[in-house]
Amino acid sequence: MSKEKNIVVGCDIGGAHLKVARAEDGRIEKALTLATPIWLGLDRLTSAAREAAPLFAGSRLNVFTMTGELSDIFPSREAGIASLLDIVAGHFPGKARIYAGRSGFVPPDRAAGLAADIASANWLASAALVAKQVGTALFIDMGSTTTDIVATRNGVVENTGYNDAERLATGELVYTGFTRSALIGVAGTAPVRGTMSPLMNEYFASIADAHRILGVLDEGDDKQPAADGQAKTVEGSIARMARMTGHDASDLTLPEWRDVAHWFSEQQLRTVHDAGFRVAAKLADDPDAPIVGAGIGRWQIRRLAERMERRFVDFAELIEASDEARSEASSAAPAAALALLARDVE
């Protein structure tokens, strides 16, 4: 008689995306990311829950982390967590545990009293798995919106901050991501034919436009509409980026617009590099400690590893995963980490 599989599903409920990873006997078999702009309404999340339902089939345990409580649809993080816990109870089938970071995995009825531990703790799940698998490393996860930078040493997560405010102050959280960041939040000026042009203080374009122009964006990773709601093509991205500088697309050549796009991507990398230097000070005596990269912005993290003269390791290389799920699991690292860390949780 065949042994029943130990199926654990990890779920990361963000304000912009829902990330789900299904582990069977400690191996990630499926993973997906769905757009859930919950600032437009919680129905976006409940619809995504229905779409993700096949990944929960037959699971012994479903484990949840969340950052969506930060969404401005909620008056506070505590209220956001309470609402998201209600959705977990009503729309995700099966036995649930909530990841409360430093307080571990807790049943839903205990979670409401641990809001300070639960809020935006998804980074700790990923870092804990990296610490377990690598020991000592600089873990960097660049998603669509933010970048987490966390040191691990000898199997222990060496974070300085815990909540968003503390982590912003320490460089462990950088509010820039590979697709959703507005260009005006990346730089205030840009070089246009040798002149530094001030930018329009408007959400005319995002960093996804710059990465699309450079040819380094996987369109499957850009799940939100363009700033103007128009086509997500190179031509459309150039038109949006040109608008930021007060120009039309026809004012410059394609190579010139590529230079401008490269400027924006470079400015983003410099911001992450500055924070990376600060956090990596904890590993100054271990130059062989690698940078472990996760998230849809791994292209940027590889470039950062070269600059910091550290070996790059993809989070996907650290986990057991099917070929189908490996890349998506790295992009949805907190969900994958939860599914693997909770293998023996009751």
Side-chain angles (χ1 to χ4, degrees), residues 219-270:
E219 290 298 337
D221 291 333
D222 185 21
K223 299 183 184 297
Q224 304 294 340
D228 59 2
Q230 301 302 310
K232 293 196 285 187
T233 61
V234 171
E235 293 76 14
S237 287
I238 290 174
R240 287 185 285 273
M241 190 174 69
R243 196 171 291 123
M244 292 293 303
T245 67
H247 285 278
D248 289 327
S250 59
D251 292 349
L252 275 70
T253 65
L254 177 58
E256 287 176 313
W257 285 126
R258 283 186 180 137
D259 282 347
V260 177
H262 190 270
W263 162 265
F264 281 112
S265 186
E266 178 69 19
Q267 291 300 111
Q268 179 183 67
L269 181 57
R270 290 179 187 181

mmCIF file of all heavy atoms in Angstrom, residues 219-270:
data_model
loop_
_atom_site.group_PDB
_atom_site.id
_atom_site.type_symbol
_atom_site.label_atom_id
_atom_site.label_comp_id
_atom_site.label_asym_id
_atom_site.label_seq_id
_atom_site.Cartn_x
_atom_site.Cartn_y
_atom_site.Cartn_z
ATOM 1 N N GLU A 219 7.666 39.019 -19.550
ATOM 2 C CA GLU A 219 6.332 39.620 -19.519
ATOM 3 C C GLU A 219 5.400 38.918 -18.547
ATOM 4 O O GLU A 219 4.458 39.525 -18.027
ATOM 5 C CB GLU A 219 5.723 39.640 -20.923
ATOM 6 C CG GLU A 219 6.391 40.613 -21.875
ATOM 7 C CD GLU A 219 6.280 42.069 -21.432
ATOM 8 O OE1 GLU A 219 5.360 42.396 -20.653
ATOM 9 O OE2 GLU A 219 7.124 42.878 -21.852
ATOM 10 N N GLY A 220 5.664 37.642 -18.269
ATOM 11 C CA GLY A 220 4.848 36.928 -17.297
ATOM 12 C C GLY A 220 5.005 37.460 -15.888
ATOM 13 O O GLY A 220 4.160 37.207 -15.017
ATOM 14 N N ASP A 221 6.075 38.229 -15.644
ATOM 15 C CA ASP A 221 6.318 38.788 -14.318
ATOM 16 C C ASP A 221 5.672 40.152 -14.128
ATOM 17 O O ASP A 221 5.611 40.657 -13.004
ATOM 18 C CB ASP A 221 7.826 38.924 -14.072
ATOM 19 C CG ASP A 221 8.514 37.584 -13.922
ATOM 20 O OD1 ASP A 221 7.848 36.618 -13.501
ATOM 21 O OD2 ASP A 221 9.719 37.504 -14.226
ATOM 22 N N ASP A 222 5.210 40.766 -15.201
ATOM 23 C CA ASP A 222 4.594 42.090 -15.113
ATOM 24 C C ASP A 222 3.087 41.915 -15.187
ATOM 25 O O ASP A 222 2.487 41.976 -16.254
ATOM 26 C CB ASP A 222 5.105 42.979 -16.255
ATOM 27 C CG ASP A 222 4.588 44.405 -16.146
ATOM 28 O OD1 ASP A 222 4.189 44.810 -15.034
ATOM 29 O OD2 ASP A 222 4.567 45.105 -17.176
ATOM 30 N N LYS A 223 2.474 41.722 -14.044
ATOM 31 C CA LYS A 223 1.067 41.314 -13.996
ATOM 32 C C LYS A 223 0.097 42.468 -13.768
ATOM 33 O O LYS A 223 -1.111 42.258 -13.741
ATOM 34 C CB LYS A 223 0.878 40.246 -12.905
ATOM 35 C CG LYS A 223 1.696 38.981 -13.167
ATOM 36 C CD LYS A 223 1.447 37.923 -12.121
ATOM 37 C CE LYS A 223 2.339 36.707 -12.349
ATOM 38 N NZ LYS A 223 2.059 36.063 -13.625
ATOM 39 N N GLN A 224 0.610 43.676 -13.589
ATOM 40 C CA GLN A 224 -0.257 44.833 -13.381
ATOM 41 C C GLN A 224 -0.332 45.664 -14.659
ATOM 42 O O GLN A 224 0.571 45.622 -15.494
ATOM 43 C CB GLN A 224 0.275 45.697 -12.237
ATOM 44 C CG GLN A 224 0.456 44.944 -10.919
ATOM 45 C CD GLN A 224 -0.854 44.474 -10.312
ATOM 46 O OE1 GLN A 224 -1.919 44.984 -10.629
ATOM 47 N NE2 GLN A 224 -0.783 43.491 -9.416
ATOM 48 N N PRO A 225 -1.399 46.437 -14.853
ATOM 49 C CA PRO A 225 -1.513 47.271 -16.055
ATOM 50 C C PRO A 225 -0.398 48.305 -16.127
ATOM 51 O O PRO A 225 0.161 48.723 -15.106
ATOM 52 C CB PRO A 225 -2.880 47.948 -15.891
ATOM 53 C CG PRO A 225 -3.624 47.110 -14.893
ATOM 54 C CD PRO A 225 -2.583 46.544 -13.981
ATOM 55 N N ALA A 226 -0.081 48.747 -17.348
ATOM 56 C CA ALA A 226 0.860 49.842 -17.527
ATOM 57 C C ALA A 226 0.272 51.122 -16.939
ATOM 58 O O ALA A 226 -0.937 51.248 -16.736
ATOM 59 C CB ALA A 226 1.161 50.033 -19.008
ATOM 60 N N ALA A 227 1.129 52.102 -16.675
ATOM 61 C CA ALA A 227 0.689 53.335 -16.023
ATOM 62 C C ALA A 227 -0.426 54.026 -16.790
ATOM 63 O O ALA A 227 -1.328 54.616 -16.186
ATOM 64 C CB ALA A 227 1.883 54.279 -15.856
ATOM 65 N N ASP A 228 -0.370 53.977 -18.121
ATOM 66 C CA ASP A 228 -1.400 54.625 -18.932
ATOM 67 C C ASP A 228 -2.476 53.662 -19.410
ATOM 68 O O ASP A 228 -3.367 54.045 -20.170
ATOM 69 C CB ASP A 228 -0.776 55.333 -20.145
ATOM 70 C CG ASP A 228 0.009 54.379 -21.044
ATOM 71 O OD1 ASP A 228 0.035 53.164 -20.754
ATOM 72 O OD2 ASP A 228 0.600 54.858 -22.038
ATOM 73 N N GLY A 229 -2.397 52.419 -18.974
ATOM 74 C CA GLY A 229 -3.381 51.423 -19.381
ATOM 75 C C GLY A 229 -3.230 50.969 -20.816
ATOM 76 O O GLY A 229 -4.072 50.211 -21.318
ATOM 77 N N GLN A 230 -2.158 51.385 -21.470
ATOM 78 C CA GLN A 230 -1.959 51.056 -22.882
ATOM 79 C C GLN A 230 -1.068 49.823 -23.035
ATOM 80 O O GLN A 230 -0.725 49.156 -22.066
ATOM 81 C CB GLN A 230 -1.374 52.270 -23.615
ATOM 82 C CG GLN A 230 -2.260 53.512 -23.540
ATOM 83 C CD GLN A 230 -3.648 53.275 -24.102
ATOM 84 O OE1 GLN A 230 -3.807 52.762 -25.219
ATOM 85 N NE2 GLN A 230 -4.669 53.650 -23.324
ATOM 86 N N ALA A 231 -0.669 49.562 -24.273
ATOM 87 C CA ALA A 231 0.028 48.318 -24.602
ATOM 88 C C ALA A 231 1.361 48.188 -23.868
ATOM 89 O O ALA A 231 2.120 49.157 -23.743
ATOM 90 C CB ALA A 231 0.268 48.249 -26.109
ATOM 91 N N LYS A 232 1.621 46.981 -23.410
ATOM 92 C CA LYS A 232 2.897 46.693 -22.768
ATOM 93 C C LYS A 232 3.848 46.134 -23.823
ATOM 94 O O LYS A 232 4.157 44.941 -23.869
ATOM 95 C CB LYS A 232 2.693 45.740 -21.584
ATOM 96 C CG LYS A 232 1.908 46.394 -20.459
ATOM 97 C CD LYS A 232 2.016 45.651 -19.143
ATOM 98 C CE LYS A 232 1.181 44.394 -19.131
ATOM 99 N NZ LYS A 232 1.168 43.784 -17.768
ATOM 100 N N THR A 233 4.301 47.047 -24.683
ATOM 101 C CA THR A 233 5.249 46.760 -25.753
ATOM 102 C C THR A 233 6.434 47.701 -25.596
ATOM 103 O O THR A 233 6.381 48.678 -24.827
ATOM 104 C CB THR A 233 4.615 46.992 -27.132
ATOM 105 O OG1 THR A 233 4.232 48.391 -27.227
ATOM 106 C CG2 THR A 233 3.384 46.118 -27.334
ATOM 107 N N VAL A 234 7.517 47.438 -26.333
ATOM 108 C CA VAL A 234 8.668 48.339 -26.287
ATOM 109 C C VAL A 234 8.254 49.746 -26.714
ATOM 110 O O VAL A 234 8.625 50.744 -26.085
ATOM 111 C CB VAL A 234 9.807 47.808 -27.180
ATOM 112 C CG1 VAL A 234 10.914 48.849 -27.322
ATOM 113 C CG2 VAL A 234 10.376 46.515 -26.603
ATOM 114 N N GLU A 235 7.445 49.826 -27.768
ATOM 115 C CA GLU A 235 6.997 51.140 -28.242
ATOM 116 C C GLU A 235 6.163 51.849 -27.173
ATOM 117 O O GLU A 235 6.316 53.057 -26.936
ATOM 118 C CB GLU A 235 6.185 50.986 -29.531
ATOM 119 C CG GLU A 235 6.985 50.506 -30.727
ATOM 120 C CD GLU A 235 7.301 49.015 -30.688
ATOM 121 O OE1 GLU A 235 6.674 48.294 -29.866
ATOM 122 O OE2 GLU A 235 8.176 48.570 -31.455
ATOM 123 N N GLY A 236 5.246 51.100 -26.553
ATOM 124 C CA GLY A 236 4.429 51.690 -25.499
ATOM 125 C C GLY A 236 5.261 52.139 -24.324
ATOM 126 O O GLY A 236 5.014 53.199 -23.735
ATOM 127 N N SER A 237 6.274 51.342 -23.965
ATOM 128 C CA SER A 237 7.139 51.695 -22.838
ATOM 129 C C SER A 237 7.965 52.935 -23.144
ATOM 130 O O SER A 237 8.177 53.793 -22.273
ATOM 131 C CB SER A 237 8.056 50.517 -22.494
ATOM 132 O OG SER A 237 7.327 49.481 -21.866
ATOM 133 N N ILE A 238 8.460 53.054 -24.376
ATOM 134 C CA ILE A 238 9.215 54.251 -24.751
ATOM 135 C C ILE A 238 8.328 55.487 -24.665
ATOM 136 O O ILE A 238 8.741 56.543 -24.165
ATOM 137 C CB ILE A 238 9.813 54.093 -26.160
ATOM 138 C CG1 ILE A 238 10.947 53.057 -26.130
ATOM 139 C CG2 ILE A 238 10.323 55.428 -26.698
ATOM 140 C CD1 ILE A 238 11.521 52.721 -27.500
ATOM 141 N N ALA A 239 7.091 55.384 -25.142
ATOM 142 C CA ALA A 239 6.169 56.527 -25.077
ATOM 143 C C ALA A 239 5.938 56.952 -23.638
ATOM 144 O O ALA A 239 5.914 58.163 -23.325
ATOM 145 C CB ALA A 239 4.849 56.158 -25.751
ATOM 146 N N ARG A 240 5.786 55.987 -22.732
ATOM 147 C CA ARG A 240 5.554 56.317 -21.321
ATOM 148 C C ARG A 240 6.802 56.942 -20.702
ATOM 149 O O ARG A 240 6.716 57.930 -19.959
ATOM 150 C CB ARG A 240 5.125 55.060 -20.557
ATOM 151 C CG ARG A 240 3.701 54.621 -20.870
ATOM 152 C CD ARG A 240 3.275 53.455 -19.997
ATOM 153 N NE ARG A 240 3.884 52.188 -20.399
ATOM 154 C CZ ARG A 240 3.383 51.370 -21.319
ATOM 155 N NH1 ARG A 240 2.271 51.686 -21.954
ATOM 156 N NH2 ARG A 240 3.977 50.227 -21.616
ATOM 157 N N MET A 241 7.963 56.356 -20.983
ATOM 158 C CA MET A 241 9.194 56.883 -20.414
ATOM 159 C C MET A 241 9.507 58.266 -20.975
ATOM 160 O O MET A 241 9.964 59.169 -20.250
ATOM 161 C CB MET A 241 10.346 55.912 -20.685
ATOM 162 C CG MET A 241 11.619 56.245 -19.928
ATOM 163 S SD MET A 241 12.898 54.998 -20.141
ATOM 164 C CE MET A 241 13.295 55.276 -21.880
ATOM 165 N N ALA A 242 9.251 58.477 -22.276
ATOM 166 C CA ALA A 242 9.482 59.782 -22.894
ATOM 167 C C ALA A 242 8.644 60.853 -22.209
ATOM 168 O O ALA A 242 9.112 61.983 -21.974
ATOM 169 C CB ALA A 242 9.145 59.708 -24.378
ATOM 170 N N ARG A 243 7.417 60.498 -21.874
ATOM 171 C CA ARG A 243 6.521 61.447 -21.218
ATOM 172 C C ARG A 243 7.109 61.936 -19.895
ATOM 173 O O ARG A 243 6.905 63.081 -19.496
ATOM 174 C CB ARG A 243 5.157 60.767 -21.003
ATOM 175 C CG ARG A 243 4.017 61.717 -20.688
ATOM 176 C CD ARG A 243 2.684 60.972 -20.707
ATOM 177 N NE ARG A 243 2.321 60.563 -22.056
ATOM 178 C CZ ARG A 243 2.063 59.296 -22.426
ATOM 179 N NH1 ARG A 243 2.117 58.315 -21.527
ATOM 180 N NH2 ARG A 243 1.744 59.015 -23.660
ATOM 181 N N MET A 244 7.847 61.073 -19.213
ATOM 182 C CA MET A 244 8.478 61.458 -17.955
ATOM 183 C C MET A 244 9.453 62.611 -18.141
ATOM 184 O O MET A 244 9.659 63.422 -17.232
ATOM 185 C CB MET A 244 9.235 60.266 -17.342
ATOM 186 C CG MET A 244 8.361 59.127 -16.858
ATOM 187 S SD MET A 244 7.348 59.549 -15.448
ATOM 188 C CE MET A 244 8.573 60.081 -14.270
ATOM 189 N N THR A 245 10.091 62.696 -19.306
ATOM 190 C CA THR A 245 11.101 63.725 -19.563
ATOM 191 C C THR A 245 10.538 64.917 -20.327
ATOM 192 O O THR A 245 11.290 65.815 -20.737
ATOM 193 C CB THR A 245 12.273 63.127 -20.369
ATOM 194 O OG1 THR A 245 11.817 62.779 -21.689
ATOM 195 C CG2 THR A 245 12.828 61.894 -19.687
ATOM 196 N N GLY A 246 9.236 64.922 -20.550
ATOM 197 C CA GLY A 246 8.615 66.006 -21.292
ATOM 198 C C GLY A 246 8.741 65.856 -22.795
ATOM 199 O O GLY A 246 8.489 66.813 -23.539
ATOM 200 N N HIS A 247 9.106 64.666 -23.250
ATOM 201 C CA HIS A 247 9.309 64.413 -24.676
ATOM 202 C C HIS A 247 8.235 63.480 -25.224
ATOM 203 O O HIS A 247 7.510 62.808 -24.487
ATOM 204 C CB HIS A 247 10.682 63.777 -24.911
ATOM 205 C CG HIS A 247 11.818 64.727 -24.797
ATOM 206 N ND1 HIS A 247 12.222 65.570 -25.808
ATOM 207 C CD2 HIS A 247 12.669 64.981 -23.763
ATOM 208 C CE1 HIS A 247 13.259 66.286 -25.424
ATOM 209 N NE2 HIS A 247 13.556 65.948 -24.170
ATOM 210 N N ASP A 248 8.189 63.415 -26.553
ATOM 211 C CA ASP A 248 7.476 62.364 -27.265
ATOM 212 C C ASP A 248 8.490 61.312 -27.697
ATOM 213 O O ASP A 248 9.698 61.607 -27.824
ATOM 214 C CB ASP A 248 6.761 62.918 -28.501
ATOM 215 C CG ASP A 248 5.575 63.783 -28.132
ATOM 216 O OD1 ASP A 248 4.925 63.487 -27.106
ATOM 217 O OD2 ASP A 248 5.298 64.745 -28.870
ATOM 218 N N ALA A 249 8.013 60.112 -27.953
ATOM 219 C CA ALA A 249 8.916 59.025 -28.331
ATOM 220 C C ALA A 249 9.733 59.361 -29.569
ATOM 221 O O ALA A 249 10.901 58.963 -29.690
ATOM 222 C CB ALA A 249 8.111 57.750 -28.561
ATOM 223 N N SER A 250 9.144 60.107 -30.496
ATOM 224 C CA SER A 250 9.824 60.416 -31.753
ATOM 225 C C SER A 250 10.949 61.427 -31.610
ATOM 226 O O SER A 250 11.714 61.652 -32.562
ATOM 227 C CB SER A 250 8.811 60.930 -32.785
ATOM 228 O OG SER A 250 8.157 62.102 -32.291
ATOM 229 N N ASP A 251 11.090 62.023 -30.427
ATOM 230 C CA ASP A 251 12.116 63.052 -30.243
ATOM 231 C C ASP A 251 13.524 62.481 -30.172
ATOM 232 O O ASP A 251 14.498 63.200 -30.414
ATOM 233 C CB ASP A 251 11.840 63.855 -28.970
ATOM 234 C CG ASP A 251 10.595 64.718 -29.072
ATOM 235 O OD1 ASP A 251 10.067 64.858 -30.190
ATOM 236 O OD2 ASP A 251 10.143 65.223 -28.022
ATOM 237 N N LEU A 252 13.648 61.199 -29.802
ATOM 238 C CA LEU A 252 14.951 60.549 -29.700
ATOM 239 C C LEU A 252 14.928 59.247 -30.493
ATOM 240 O O LEU A 252 13.854 58.708 -30.792
ATOM 241 C CB LEU A 252 15.309 60.231 -28.237
ATOM 242 C CG LEU A 252 15.960 61.349 -27.400
ATOM 243 C CD1 LEU A 252 14.964 62.456 -27.113
ATOM 244 C CD2 LEU A 252 16.508 60.763 -26.089
ATOM 245 N N THR A 253 16.110 58.725 -30.782
ATOM 246 C CA THR A 253 16.210 57.455 -31.479
ATOM 247 C C THR A 253 16.046 56.307 -30.494
ATOM 248 O O THR A 253 16.161 56.486 -29.269
ATOM 249 C CB THR A 253 17.563 57.312 -32.182
ATOM 250 O OG1 THR A 253 18.599 57.265 -31.172
ATOM 251 C CG2 THR A 253 17.811 58.488 -33.124
ATOM 252 N N LEU A 254 15.814 55.101 -31.018
ATOM 253 C CA LEU A 254 15.690 53.926 -30.158
ATOM 254 C C LEU A 254 16.940 53.707 -29.305
ATOM 255 O O LEU A 254 16.827 53.468 -28.091
ATOM 256 C CB LEU A 254 15.367 52.685 -30.995
ATOM 257 C CG LEU A 254 15.274 51.354 -30.238
ATOM 258 C CD1 LEU A 254 14.219 51.425 -29.142
ATOM 259 C CD2 LEU A 254 14.966 50.207 -31.207
ATOM 260 N N PRO A 255 18.149 53.784 -29.872
ATOM 261 C CA PRO A 255 19.339 53.627 -29.019
ATOM 262 C C PRO A 255 19.414 54.672 -27.911
ATOM 263 O O PRO A 255 19.859 54.375 -26.795
ATOM 264 C CB PRO A 255 20.502 53.782 -30.009
ATOM 265 C CG PRO A 255 19.941 53.336 -31.316
ATOM 266 C CD PRO A 255 18.525 53.830 -31.304
ATOM 267 N N GLU A 256 18.978 55.898 -28.208
ATOM 268 C CA GLU A 256 18.996 56.927 -27.169
ATOM 269 C C GLU A 256 18.019 56.607 -26.053
ATOM 270 O O GLU A 256 18.326 56.804 -24.859
ATOM 271 C CB GLU A 256 18.671 58.284 -27.791
ATOM 272 C CG GLU A 256 19.802 58.858 -28.638
ATOM 273 C CD GLU A 256 19.424 60.149 -29.326
ATOM 274 O OE1 GLU A 256 18.325 60.203 -29.933
ATOM 275 O OE2 GLU A 256 20.217 61.105 -29.255
ATOM 276 N N TRP A 257 16.831 56.123 -26.401
ATOM 277 C CA TRP A 257 15.869 55.759 -25.366
ATOM 278 C C TRP A 257 16.367 54.562 -24.565
ATOM 279 O O TRP A 257 16.115 54.469 -23.353
ATOM 280 C CB TRP A 257 14.493 55.471 -25.971
ATOM 281 C CG TRP A 257 13.742 56.699 -26.384
ATOM 282 C CD1 TRP A 257 13.199 56.976 -27.610
ATOM 283 C CD2 TRP A 257 13.435 57.835 -25.559
ATOM 284 N NE1 TRP A 257 12.597 58.207 -27.607
ATOM 285 C CE2 TRP A 257 12.717 58.750 -26.358
ATOM 286 C CE3 TRP A 257 13.699 58.166 -24.232
ATOM 287 C CZ2 TRP A 257 12.260 59.965 -25.869
ATOM 288 C CZ3 TRP A 257 13.250 59.382 -23.737
ATOM 289 C CH2 TRP A 257 12.542 60.275 -24.545
ATOM 290 N N ARG A 258 17.101 53.657 -25.213
ATOM 291 C CA ARG A 258 17.680 52.530 -24.464
ATOM 292 C C ARG A 258 18.675 53.035 -23.430
ATOM 293 O O ARG A 258 18.758 52.497 -22.321
ATOM 294 C CB ARG A 258 18.356 51.554 -25.425
ATOM 295 C CG ARG A 258 17.372 50.661 -26.176
ATOM 296 C CD ARG A 258 18.109 49.636 -26.999
ATOM 297 N NE ARG A 258 17.198 48.775 -27.733
ATOM 298 C CZ ARG A 258 17.365 48.413 -29.004
ATOM 299 N NH1 ARG A 258 18.421 48.840 -29.681
ATOM 300 N NH2 ARG A 258 16.495 47.626 -29.590
ATOM 301 N N ASP A 259 19.442 54.067 -23.784
ATOM 302 C CA ASP A 259 20.378 54.649 -22.816
ATOM 303 C C ASP A 259 19.627 55.220 -21.616
ATOM 304 O O ASP A 259 20.064 55.079 -20.464
ATOM 305 C CB ASP A 259 21.206 55.750 -23.486
ATOM 306 C CG ASP A 259 22.331 55.206 -24.349
ATOM 307 O OD1 ASP A 259 22.627 54.004 -24.230
ATOM 308 O OD2 ASP A 259 22.896 55.985 -25.139
ATOM 309 N N VAL A 260 18.502 55.880 -21.884
ATOM 310 C CA VAL A 260 17.711 56.436 -20.778
ATOM 311 C C VAL A 260 17.166 55.303 -19.907
ATOM 312 O O VAL A 260 17.193 55.381 -18.666
ATOM 313 C CB VAL A 260 16.563 57.312 -21.318
ATOM 314 C CG1 VAL A 260 15.702 57.832 -20.162
ATOM 315 C CG2 VAL A 260 17.102 58.481 -22.140
ATOM 316 N N ALA A 261 16.680 54.234 -20.544
ATOM 317 C CA ALA A 261 16.174 53.083 -19.791
ATOM 318 C C ALA A 261 17.273 52.478 -18.933
ATOM 319 O O ALA A 261 17.044 52.105 -17.764
ATOM 320 C CB ALA A 261 15.603 52.036 -20.749
ATOM 321 N N HIS A 262 18.460 52.393 -19.502
ATOM 322 C CA HIS A 262 19.583 51.842 -18.743
ATOM 323 C C HIS A 262 19.905 52.720 -17.541
ATOM 324 O O HIS A 262 20.246 52.226 -16.458
ATOM 325 C CB HIS A 262 20.813 51.706 -19.642
ATOM 326 C CG HIS A 262 21.928 50.931 -19.021
ATOM 327 N ND1 HIS A 262 22.903 51.524 -18.264
ATOM 328 C CD2 HIS A 262 22.188 49.594 -19.003
ATOM 329 C CE1 HIS A 262 23.743 50.593 -17.821
ATOM 330 N NE2 HIS A 262 23.334 49.426 -18.247
ATOM 331 N N TRP A 263 19.772 54.020 -17.697
ATOM 332 C CA TRP A 263 19.995 54.947 -16.581
ATOM 333 C C TRP A 263 19.071 54.633 -15.418
ATOM 334 O O TRP A 263 19.501 54.539 -14.266
ATOM 335 C CB TRP A 263 19.794 56.379 -17.058
ATOM 336 C CG TRP A 263 19.564 57.375 -15.960
ATOM 337 C CD1 TRP A 263 18.362 57.812 -15.490
ATOM 338 C CD2 TRP A 263 20.562 58.035 -15.184
ATOM 339 N NE1 TRP A 263 18.542 58.716 -14.467
ATOM 340 C CE2 TRP A 263 19.883 58.865 -14.253
ATOM 341 C CE3 TRP A 263 21.949 58.003 -15.181
ATOM 342 C CZ2 TRP A 263 20.553 59.668 -13.337
ATOM 343 C CZ3 TRP A 263 22.625 58.810 -14.263
ATOM 344 C CH2 TRP A 263 21.928 59.618 -13.361
ATOM 345 N N PHE A 264 17.788 54.459 -15.711
ATOM 346 C CA PHE A 264 16.839 54.186 -14.643
ATOM 347 C C PHE A 264 17.152 52.860 -13.954
ATOM 348 O O PHE A 264 17.129 52.772 -12.721
ATOM 349 C CB PHE A 264 15.416 54.160 -15.197
ATOM 350 C CG PHE A 264 14.825 55.519 -15.426
ATOM 351 C CD1 PHE A 264 14.561 55.969 -16.704
ATOM 352 C CD2 PHE A 264 14.534 56.354 -14.355
ATOM 353 C CE1 PHE A 264 14.019 57.224 -16.921
ATOM 354 C CE2 PHE A 264 13.991 57.613 -14.556
ATOM 355 C CZ PHE A 264 13.736 58.051 -15.846
ATOM 356 N N SER A 265 17.449 51.834 -14.727
ATOM 357 C CA SER A 265 17.768 50.541 -14.128
ATOM 358 C C SER A 265 19.028 50.637 -13.286
ATOM 359 O O SER A 265 19.122 50.049 -12.199
ATOM 360 C CB SER A 265 17.936 49.478 -15.226
ATOM 361 O OG SER A 265 18.119 48.202 -14.657
ATOM 362 N N GLU A 266 19.990 51.407 -13.780
ATOM 363 C CA GLU A 266 21.234 51.603 -13.037
ATOM 364 C C GLU A 266 20.994 52.352 -11.732
ATOM 365 O O GLU A 266 21.562 52.012 -10.688
ATOM 366 C CB GLU A 266 22.228 52.365 -13.904
ATOM 367 C CG GLU A 266 23.556 52.677 -13.240
ATOM 368 C CD GLU A 266 24.417 51.464 -12.988
ATOM 369 O OE1 GLU A 266 24.184 50.418 -13.634
ATOM 370 O OE2 GLU A 266 25.320 51.547 -12.129
ATOM 371 N N GLN A 267 20.146 53.357 -11.772
ATOM 372 C CA GLN A 267 19.839 54.104 -10.551
ATOM 373 C C GLN A 267 19.189 53.199 -9.507
ATOM 374 O O GLN A 267 19.466 53.297 -8.312
ATOM 375 C CB GLN A 267 18.931 55.292 -10.862
ATOM 376 C CG GLN A 267 19.609 56.392 -11.652
ATOM 377 C CD GLN A 267 20.808 56.969 -10.915
ATOM 378 O OE1 GLN A 267 21.959 56.786 -11.330
ATOM 379 N NE2 GLN A 267 20.555 57.658 -9.823
ATOM 380 N N GLN A 268 18.297 52.312 -9.959
ATOM 381 C CA GLN A 268 17.687 51.362 -9.031
ATOM 382 C C GLN A 268 18.747 50.458 -8.415
ATOM 383 O O GLN A 268 18.753 50.222 -7.194
ATOM 384 C CB GLN A 268 16.641 50.511 -9.750
ATOM 385 C CG GLN A 268 15.985 49.489 -8.832
ATOM 386 C CD GLN A 268 15.001 48.589 -9.535
ATOM 387 O OE1 GLN A 268 15.370 47.775 -10.371
ATOM 388 N NE2 GLN A 268 13.725 48.754 -9.198
ATOM 389 N N LEU A 269 19.642 49.963 -9.248
ATOM 390 C CA LEU A 269 20.678 49.059 -8.756
ATOM 391 C C LEU A 269 21.578 49.769 -7.747
ATOM 392 O O LEU A 269 21.982 49.172 -6.738
ATOM 393 C CB LEU A 269 21.497 48.515 -9.925
ATOM 394 C CG LEU A 269 22.604 47.530 -9.571
ATOM 395 C CD1 LEU A 269 22.060 46.333 -8.801
ATOM 396 C CD2 LEU A 269 23.326 47.062 -10.827
ATOM 397 N N ARG A 270 21.890 51.027 -7.995
ATOM 398 C CA ARG A 270 22.741 51.768 -7.061
ATOM 399 C C ARG A 270 22.069 51.902 -5.699
ATOM 400 O O ARG A 270 22.725 51.823 -4.651
ATOM 401 C CB ARG A 270 23.066 53.149 -7.625
ATOM 402 C CG ARG A 270 24.003 53.114 -8.819
ATOM 403 C CD ARG A 270 24.273 54.502 -9.349
ATOM 404 N NE ARG A 270 25.040 54.451 -10.580
ATOM 405 C CZ ARG A 270 25.431 55.526 -11.259
ATOM 406 N NH1 ARG A 270 25.128 56.738 -10.812
ATOM 407 N NH2 ARG A 270 26.126 55.391 -12.372
#
